Amino acid sequence: MRASWPRGARASTPSSASLPRCTLYRNEKPELTPRVRLAFPAYSCEFSGNETLDEAITRYRTLGLTDLRRGPSPFLKMRYANTRTRGRSTDPGRGLADSDRLLDELRAIEGGAGSFVEFENRHGDVWRVEWRGAYHIAEWNTEDGRPQEIGLADLLDFAVARLRA
């Protein structure tokens, strides 16, 4: 079957899902359930290809697949701790999040000495942002990895660009 997107749709690739827990026809036609494939428009930045089954199911549920004109929802894992607001992520590692949450947490660490936000894009690249009287960012995947000062507007633009890469 050939994919055809409505005029104005901007998805970069047709995708499909066949998840073991998929229950689209569980009541009406249970024998179809193992054969059902859900096709939807997607963006390359939305998946890493290394998701666990639980992460793939979570992404599937949060993408808004019925909106064919939706914008991209980039793959993002993050963790954070804010000493000013006392907000923090609860898992020891980085968990799935949406880009609005990342941008909100980056803004919120201003003024919180010792606060940080770590974020990871679909390629597995990781950055850590800390508040040290100003925003400082370090790329964790490089040997150098030294924090460099960055302004808020540049930081937000940088984060969005890295998630959509």
Side-chain angles (χ1 to χ4, degrees):
M1 176 190 286
R2 188 161 184 248
S4 175
W5 307 129
R7 182 169 285 168
R10 300 173 300 154
S12 59
T13 184
S15 298
S16 67
S18 172
L19 303 173
R21 299 180 196 168
C22 182
T23 57
L24 292 173
Y25 292 101
R26 145 179 86 198
N27 295 324
E28 301 90 344
K29 299 269 188 188
E31 66 278 8
L32 287 180
T33 296
R35 294 175 173 79
V36 170
R37 303 294 182 269
L38 175 63
F40 56 93
Y43 295 85
S44 59
C45 68
E46 293 180 322
F47 302 96
S48 74
N50 295 315
E51 293 90 344
T52 65
L53 177 59
D54 286 338
E55 289 171 343
I57 290 169
T58 299
R59 293 294 293 151
Y60 159 78
R61 289 181 177 157
T62 60
L63 284 177
L65 303 179
T66 58
D67 180 2
L68 299 181
R69 289 182 173 81
R70 71 180 177 81
S73 178
F75 178 89
L76 164 66
K77 284 185 167 183
M78 65 178 279
R79 76 182 189 109
Y80 66 96
N82 188 321
T83 61
R84 188 176 56 78
T85 65
R86 301 203 194 303
R88 67 181 322 108
S89 46
T90 55
D91 291 333
R94 290 180 290 277
L96 291 173
D98 65 49
S99 55
D100 288 340
R101 180 62 181 260
L102 172 64
L103 300 179
D104 288 346
E105 294 303 332
L106 289 172
R107 288 183 194 101
I109 65 171
E110 184 172 354
S115 296
F116 74 89
V117 176
E118 288 176 12
F119 66 100
E120 176 181 343
N121 69 6
R122 71 185 183 108
H123 302 291
D125 297 326
V126 179
W127 295 269
R128 182 178 173 103
V129 178
E130 299 176 353
W131 180 261
R132 301 177 177 182
Y135 289 98
H136 288 79
I137 188 167
E139 184 173 356
W140 279 31
N141 300 26
T142 63
E143 272 186 41
D144 185 10
R146 284 180 286 184
Q148 297 180 11
E149 189 171 332
I150 187 171
L152 178 59
D154 289 338
L155 172 60
L156 299 178
D157 290 344
F158 175 89
V160 169
R162 292 310 173 271
L163 292 180
R164 291 190 178 195

